[in-house]
């Protein structure tokens, strides 16, 4: 069997603060305090000879070795053109339609230019972009000389990804008038005076322009190369020399920070994931889709506005030594710009692999007059000490070894059923996913892997018996990806257990890393190329690519499937199917029992107050996410904010009532109480933190994990119906433990 580590969900803009940071190419810079730089001549950025060599090496490698064998032709050229424009101006707030028309000659030429090492078209487009940025910032600053009329009926569409490009400078001016009013309203609603608001926005816009002027030829080259790689598939990336160093930090899992994956979302820095074992996960105060609008060092310093900042500059502010304090100003997930923000306090720490190890806990489930115990094994990632394993170390670090021990502990505690919690598990070692499957099924194939030349390899479990034979469920969500999907798919295809939750990510490809310094001559570092070389297939022949794993029992999730998942990426490789491999599904009665299990689940949640609150909360989040524009009338915004605050207070008090707590009088009191609860829970064990990190509920810090509770009830239903268990003789003697 091969030992393979899967690089999961890594995109150019991904940063794992406390785990990794890609890219991070500079320290934060502070714009001059003087007036706008717009009057100063703009530097013309040009490609360097070394970049031509790197470009041609990347093109050769991708053409020859990428799984899709995509030729550098006019079709790919159009994709590169599209992605480069999206990367330059995602909000369509700078380029005019006339600029896009002037670039039209490059639409069919970029692929050929890449092949020949001609980077001029990409740099020409960037120089036009920089000119438009300077013009827009100058105009925005001029609007701050006089306070706008906030009684005029108007609105601002802040999600402009699918809107047409502005046709004239006058149309662009109107857009920026709306944008500046929207930015100003957010600050006015936070209690700032107009003078304070204008000063903050001047500093924000000048900082943005100053950072734009700091861009180097290397930055433009990186951006363009990744527009090329992203046109092949979302997981193929070029890492510049600085990014390569950061990637090594990512793989070591020892960076000091807060433990969160961040991406750029327009002018905002957005939380993509919270990493188990880090300060953010332990606090339970930071959530996916939250946007970071400000950063402060320590408990007393002023918050620095970071809207419009480069991602690497925001990272540099958030990073720091273990034990130091950082405060983040957060615009909550789904909230429109100008909505109420909150400030959270985090103590930086080092995130290590040990903190992400598998762990177990037991929850109790009542059915009638009886109480049952459900063992929950949480697996944050599939980890393995490959070096230790190859050298024959007795106690090398391994997901499978840890889970085998945890299962024995649970059986010794006489649990009635087991849930494997893979929510937010982005993957890791394929070997571990393969071996882990063998703890639950008899020997047999687990996954098929096909390379770019069509060669097929079947990986499987060759152990002589299983460790756990009782009722089993695997809990998944949209962030369950790659190796996690292989495990879940195998459990489902063998009919060994039920998959519960929401459809998984759909990352069914394998990447490899190539050091470009081994190809390109010279002493100057050339960086690395990560490219997709293989594809996964289930034992039944279906790919996990794009479609992921569909649960047997679907539960609602706060994660928006239209925003996250492989199928949301326009360049994702397609789903396909090959022949099934030779495997034997188990006959444990799950298929026949599924309608009954669904009926029992539906009857139970119909009277569950926590479930009803959870659904209500999801509706509120969805309504916020559906909003794409905001009113620019101050009185309307104040009314909307008051209604939103009332809604949030009612929801917080509803959760408090379920906990037997007195209602909070104000939203501020409710949030303070929640923060205290989060801090108290965060200071507990890693087990507590892990349990909380799987919870997809919201900001109040008091909600039960209703999804896990639902899964626990379902596995007890399986036990009571007498389905889902293997014969005890399936275990090896070494795995057999005393049972009640």
């Amino acid at each position: 069997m091969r030992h393979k580590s899967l690089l999961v969900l890594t995109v150019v803009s991904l940063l794992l603060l406390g785990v990794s940071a890609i890219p991070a190419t500079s320290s934060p810079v502070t714009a001059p305090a003087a007036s706008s730089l717009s009057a100063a001549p703009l530097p013309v950025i040009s490609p360097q000879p070394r970049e031509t060599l790197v470009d041609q090496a990347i093109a050769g490698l991708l053409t020859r070795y990428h799984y899709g064998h995509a030729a550098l032709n006019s079709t790919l050229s159009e994709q590169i053109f599209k992605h480069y424009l999206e990367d330059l101006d995602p909000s369509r707030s700078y380029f005019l339609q006339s600029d896009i028309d002037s670039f039209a000659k490059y639409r069919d030429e970029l692929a050929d230019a890449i092949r020949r090492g001609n980077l001029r078209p990409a740099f020409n487009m960037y120089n036009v972009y920089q000119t438009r940025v300077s013009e827009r910032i100058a105009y925005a600053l001029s609007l701050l000389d006089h306070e706008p009329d906030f009684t005029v009926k108007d609105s601002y569409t802040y999600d402009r990804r699918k809107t047409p490009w502005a046709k004239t400078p006058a149309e662009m001016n109107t857009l920026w008038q709306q944008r500046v009013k929207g930015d100003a309203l957010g600050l006015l609603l936070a209690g700032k005076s107009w003078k304070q608001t204008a000063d903050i926005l001047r500093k924000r816009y000048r900082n943005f322009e100053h950072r734009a002027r700091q861009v180097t030829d290397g930055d433009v080259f990186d951006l363009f190369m990744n527009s090329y790689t992203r046109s092949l598939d979302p997981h193929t990336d070029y890492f510049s020399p600085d990014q390569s160093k950061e990637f090594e930090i990512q793989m070591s899992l020892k960076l000091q920070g807060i433990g969160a994956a961040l991406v750029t979302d327009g002018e905002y820095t957005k939380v993509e994931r919270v990493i188990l074992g880090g300060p953010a996960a332990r606090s339970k105060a930071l959530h996916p889709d939250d946007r970071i609008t400000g950063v402060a060092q320590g408990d007393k310093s002023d918050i620095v506005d970071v809207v419009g900042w480069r991602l690497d500059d925001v990272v540099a502010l958030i990073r720091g030594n273990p034990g130091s304090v950082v405060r983040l100003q957060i615009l909550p997930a789904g909230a429109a710009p100008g909505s109420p923000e909150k400030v959270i306090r985090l103590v930086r720490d080092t995130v290590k692999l040990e903190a992400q190890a598998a762990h177990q806990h037991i929850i109790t489930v009542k059915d009638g007059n009886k109480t049952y115990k459900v063992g929950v094994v949480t697996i944050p990632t599939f980890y393995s000490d490959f070096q230790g394993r190859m050298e024959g170390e007795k106690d090398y670090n391994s997901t499978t070894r840890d889970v085998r021990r945890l299962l024995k502990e649970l059986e010794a505690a006489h649990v009635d059923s087991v849930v494997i919690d893979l929510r937010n598990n982005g993957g890791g070692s394929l070997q571990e996913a393969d071996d882990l499957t063998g703890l639950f099924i008899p020997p047999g194939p687990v996954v098929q892997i096909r390379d770019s030349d069509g060669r097929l390899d079947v990986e499987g479990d060759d152990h002589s018996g299983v460790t756990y034979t009782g009722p089993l469920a695997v809990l998944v969500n949209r962030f369950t990806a790659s190796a996690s999907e292989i495990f879940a798919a195998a459990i489902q295809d063998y009919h060994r257990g039920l998959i519960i939750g929401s459809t998984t990510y759909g990352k069914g490809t394998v990447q490899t890393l190539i050091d470009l310094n081994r190809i390109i001559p010279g002493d100057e570092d050339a960086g690395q190329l990560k490219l997709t070389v293989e594809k996964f297939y289930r034992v039944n022949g279906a790919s996990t690519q794009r479609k992921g794993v569909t649960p047997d029992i679907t539960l609602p999730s706060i994660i928006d499937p239209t925003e996250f998942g492989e199928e949301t990426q326009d360049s994702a490789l397609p789903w396909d199917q090959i022949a099934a491999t030779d495997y034997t599904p188990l006959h444990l009665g799950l298929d026949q029992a599924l309608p009954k299990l669904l009926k029992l689940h539906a009857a139970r949640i119909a009277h569950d107050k926590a479930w009803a609150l959870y659904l209500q909360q999801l509706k509120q989040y969805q309504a916020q996410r559906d909003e794409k524009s905001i009113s620019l009338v101050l009185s309307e915004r104040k009314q909307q904010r008051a209604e939103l605050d009332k809604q949030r207070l009612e929801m917080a008090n509803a959760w408090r009532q379920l906990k037997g707590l007195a209602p909070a009088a104000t939203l501020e009191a409710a949030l303070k109480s929640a923060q205290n609860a989060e801090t108290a829970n965060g200071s507990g064990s890693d087990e507590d933190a892990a349990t909380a990190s799987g919870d997809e509920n919201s900001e109040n810090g008091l909600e039960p994990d209703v999804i896990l509770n639902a899964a626990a009830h379902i596995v007890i239903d399986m036990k009571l119906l007498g389905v889902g268990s293997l014969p005890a003789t399936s275990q090896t003697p070494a795995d057999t433990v005393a049972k009640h």
Side-chain angles (χ1 to χ4, degrees), residues 439-442 466 468-471 496 586 588 724-730:
L439 300 185
F440 303 96
I441 66 170
V466 302
Y468 173 73
T469 60
R496 172 62 184 90
L586 303 170
L588 307 179
S725 293
L726 283 166
T729 53
S730 300

Side-chain angles (χ1 to χ4, degrees), residues 479-491:
F479 291 142
T480 301
S482 200
S484 298
E485 294 174 287
I486 296 305
F487 173 79
I491 295 298

Side-chain angles (χ1 to χ4, degrees), residues 55-72 76 114 225 228-230 232-233 236-238 514 529-532:
D55 161 78
Q56 291 179 307
I58 291 173
L61 289 168
L62 292 178
T63 303
R64 177 176 295 184
Y65 297 113
H66 186 270
Y67 186 88
H69 289 300
L72 276 165
L76 183 58
I114 289 172
M225 281 297 99
Y228 170 25
T229 60
R230 190 160 66 92
L232 300 177
D233 82 285
T236 294
D237 298 302
Y238 166 63
I514 296 177
L529 180 67
K530 179 166 68 73
L531 72 159
T532 297

Side-chain angles (χ1 to χ4, degrees), residues 195-504:
K195 183 179 183 305
Q196 291 171 319
T197 294
D199 288 343
I200 291 171
L201 291 182
R202 284 191 188 96
K203 186 175 182 180
R204 178 186 297 180
Y205 298 155
R206 287 168 181 164
N207 277 340
F208 180 76
E209 182 185 21
H210 184 66
R211 282 173 173 75
R213 286 172 176 262
Q214 304 305 305
V215 170
T216 66
D217 60 275
D219 294 326
V220 179
F221 177 74
D222 296 349
L223 187 71
F224 181 57
M225 281 297 99
N226 279 294
S227 297
Y228 170 25
T229 60
R230 190 160 66 92
S231 299
L232 300 177
D233 82 285
H235 308 288
T236 294
D237 298 302
Y238 166 63
F239 295 155
S240 70
D242 286 327
Q243 293 165 356
S244 296
K245 294 174 185 175
E246 292 295 339
F247 189 77
E248 292 174 5
I249 293 174
Q250 171 188 341
M251 300 314 292
S252 72
L253 298 169
K254 292 181 180 177
L255 182 69
Q256 291 92 17
I258 64 169
L262 307 181
V263 295
T264 295
D265 183 20
E267 302 297 319
Y268 290 99
T269 296
K270 184 176 73 174
V271 178
E272 184 176 64
R273 287 188 297 135
V274 176
I275 310 303
L276 185 65
R282 292 196 296 270
S283 76
K284 296 188 289 183
L286 194 67
H287 307 95
D289 272 5
D290 283 350
R291 284 150 290 175
I292 300 172
T293 60
V295 180
Q297 308 301 324
D299 288 312
K300 297 182 179 179
S301 63
D302 293 336
I303 293 175
V304 176
D305 184 285
V306 296
V307 177
W309 281 36
R310 287 167 48 123
L311 192 57
D312 48 338
D313 288 342
V314 178
V315 170
L317 279 185
I318 296 175
R319 278 181 177 174
N321 295 325
S324 61
V325 172
V326 62
R327 287 161 33 240
L328 305 180
Q329 182 174 276
I330 302 298
L331 182 62
S339 298
E341 296 174 317
K342 63 179 180 179
V343 176
I344 65 173
R345 179 185 185 273
L346 299 172
V347 179
R348 299 179 177 102
D349 199 358
T350 299
V351 180
K352 297 181 180 179
L353 184 60
E354 298 81 61
Q356 299 194 32
H359 48 271
Q360 58 91 352
H361 69 286
I362 296 173
I363 59 178
T364 57
V365 169
K366 289 186 177 180
D367 187 276
N369 296 323
K370 290 188 176 182
T371 299
Y372 299 90
K373 293 194 291 187
V374 176
V376 180
V377 178
T378 302
I379 306 175
T381 185
F382 285 93
Y383 51 88
S384 179
D385 180 0
F386 295 111
Q387 187 67 28
R389 183 171 186 161
M390 290 192 313
E391 293 177 359
E393 291 183 12
K394 182 179 179 181
D395 296 320
Y396 64 87
N397 205 18
S398 160
T399 304
T400 305
R401 289 164 60 97
D402 289 346
V403 173
R404 181 185 289 112
R405 170 180 52 81
L406 297 173
L407 290 171
K408 291 179 180 180
E409 292 173 359
L410 291 172
E411 284 202 303
H414 307 309
V415 297
D416 296 288
S417 301
V418 166
V419 173
I420 302 296
D421 191 349
L422 293 184
R423 288 176 296 173
N424 305 322
N425 183 324
S429 166
L430 173 61
Q431 183 69 56
E432 290 294 335
D434 183 4
D435 291 346
L436 185 73
T437 308
L439 300 185
F440 303 96
I441 66 170
V446 172
V447 62
Q448 304 183 80
I449 307 171
R450 188 169 67 176
D451 68 17
S452 57
D453 293 326
R455 290 186 293 265
L456 195 63
D457 186 16
V458 179
E459 299 286 335
D461 162 54
D462 55 8
H463 295 88
S464 58
V466 302
T467 299
Y468 173 73
T469 60
L472 175 71
V474 180
L475 190 55
V476 298
N477 68 2
R478 192 61 163 177
F479 291 142
T480 301
S482 200
S484 298
E485 294 174 287
I486 296 305
F487 173 79
I491 295 298
Q492 188 176 59
D493 290 344
Y494 276 93
H495 298 191
R496 172 62 184 90
L498 290 181
I499 309 303
I500 299 174
S502 49
T503 300
T504 61

Side-chain angles (χ1 to χ4, degrees), residues 621-675:
Y621 285 150
Q622 187 58 53
Q624 291 180 34
R625 282 198 295 253
D626 290 344
E627 291 291 335
K628 304 300 181 184
S629 64
I630 54 174
S631 170
L632 295 178
V633 179
L634 182 57
S635 60
E636 291 181 2
R637 291 289 294 283
K638 285 182 176 179
Q639 182 180 353
Q640 290 169 358
R641 171 169 287 200
E643 291 174 353
L644 179 59
D645 286 349
K646 179 182 177 183
Q647 186 182 81
R648 293 169 68 198
L649 177 59
E650 289 174 348
M651 181 60 66
N653 280 333
W655 286 116
R656 292 175 67 84
Q657 184 179 4
L658 279 184
K659 285 282 187 178
L661 300 174
T666 64
L667 179 61
E668 291 73 18
L671 294 177
K672 184 177 180 181
S673 175
Q675 182 73 25

Side-chain angles (χ1 to χ4, degrees), residues 131-144:
T131 298
R132 295 293 177 250
V133 169
S134 183
E135 292 170 352
R136 287 299 105 209
I137 296 303
Y139 182 69
L141 289 169
S142 72
L143 295 175
L144 298 175

